[in-house]
Amino acid sequence: DIIEASKLLDEDKYNFIYFDLTRQGFFPKNFSCIETIARQNSLCDVYAIADIFVAPDYVSAWNCCAGEAMACGKPVIASMKGSEDFGIDGETCLFFQEGTEESPKILSEKIEFMANNKELMKKISENGRQNIRNFTWGNVARRIISMAKDNGVE
């Protein structure tokens, strides 16, 4: 969806950095593709140069990249796949429905809307950064244990 969405945006106005170890092929001229990141701490440098982070995942149990981008204070636009646990549409991110015929158009509109609304970018950045702090390993483990107990698992 992100590649198709980018084709609907002004390629002189928007630049994309795409990192994916599995996808090869043609990228529009406004795409830079990062195939690997040598060290985990260098991810912060990648997030730092972004104005908006887009996570168009089709399948994800937990969208680490969207959470990491939030922790770095970046406004996030994400599919609900893997982001629904920590994302709140319009508060900590903007959600879009992935995998439909209309997805690229909707995603491009969300990117344009976010990019042209600095107050929204600031709000979503701040709220996302604050909210993702609740998702430490300890907090998540306590939630899982609590859900298991609520469902009769001892």
Side-chain angles (χ1 to χ4, degrees):
D1 289 340
I2 187 66
I3 293 172
E4 293 304 312
S6 75
K7 294 175 185 176
L8 300 172
L9 296 166
D10 181 350
E11 67 183 21
D12 294 323
K13 185 176 177 184
Y14 297 97
N15 292 299
F16 296 87
I17 298 173
Y18 186 86
F19 49 102
D20 187 344
L21 302 177
T22 61
R23 188 176 288 186
Q24 300 294 321
F26 172 77
F27 290 95
K29 76 174 192 174
N30 58 340
F31 265 77
S32 299
C33 188
I34 298 173
E35 294 178 8
T36 186
I37 296 176
R39 295 183 326 261
Q40 186 70 25
N41 62 356
S42 61
L43 278 172
C44 294
D45 297 332
V46 173
Y47 294 126
I49 61 174
D51 293 320
I52 298 169
F53 184 83
V54 180
D57 295 34
Y58 274 56
V59 179
S60 184
W62 175 264
N63 193 328
C64 278
C65 293
E68 290 167 351
M70 284 181 180
C72 290
K74 296 300 169 179
V76 171
I77 300 171
S79 68
M80 291 184 67
K81 301 294 185 198
S83 302
E84 66 274 13
D85 289 337
F86 56 84
I88 303 165
D89 192 34
E91 293 296 320
T92 64
C93 67
L94 293 181
F95 279 136
F96 76 99
Q97 178 63 49
E98 74 293 331
T100 70
E101 191 174 303
E102 292 297 309
S103 294
K105 181 178 185 299
I106 292 167
L107 179 54
S108 70
E109 290 169 353
K110 297 234 180 196
I111 292 168
E112 189 95 55
F113 179 71
M114 178 85 80
N116 291 316
N117 192 332
K118 300 301 181 195
E119 286 301 313
L120 179 65
M121 284 177 71
K122 182 179 178 189
K123 172 187 151 185
I124 286 180
S125 298
E126 291 171 357
N127 290 347
R129 188 171 190 170
Q130 186 64 36
N131 187 55
I132 203 67
R133 290 180 180 164
N134 296 317
F135 291 87
T136 64
W137 285 111
N139 287 346
V140 171
R142 281 187 283 285
R143 286 186 190 129
I144 291 170
I145 291 167
S146 176
M147 288 187 321
K149 285 181 181 177
D150 290 348
N151 288 295
V153 177
E154 295 291 327

